[in-house]
Amino acid sequence: MKRLVSLMLLSLFSMAVLAGCNTIAGAGKDVQKAGEKVEGAATK
């Protein structure tokens, strides 16, 4: 029983970490797009 609970907790923790990585990567892409638009406006 302890093994099952620890395996479930490990799975949940792993899913949370992976979801967090995807969220940070998405936010980074959004910031990069905004920076490109500002840079494009500055060159005009």
Side-chain angles (χ1 to χ4, degrees), residues 12-25:
L12 288 173
F13 179 73
S14 298
M15 289 173 60
V17 167
L18 291 174
C21 289
N22 287 334
T23 302
I24 296 299

Side-chain angles (χ1 to χ4, degrees), residues 27-40:
K29 288 180 182 178
D30 291 343
V31 170
Q32 184 178 8
K33 291 279 187 181
E36 289 172 358
K37 289 187 179 188
V38 169
E39 185 178 337

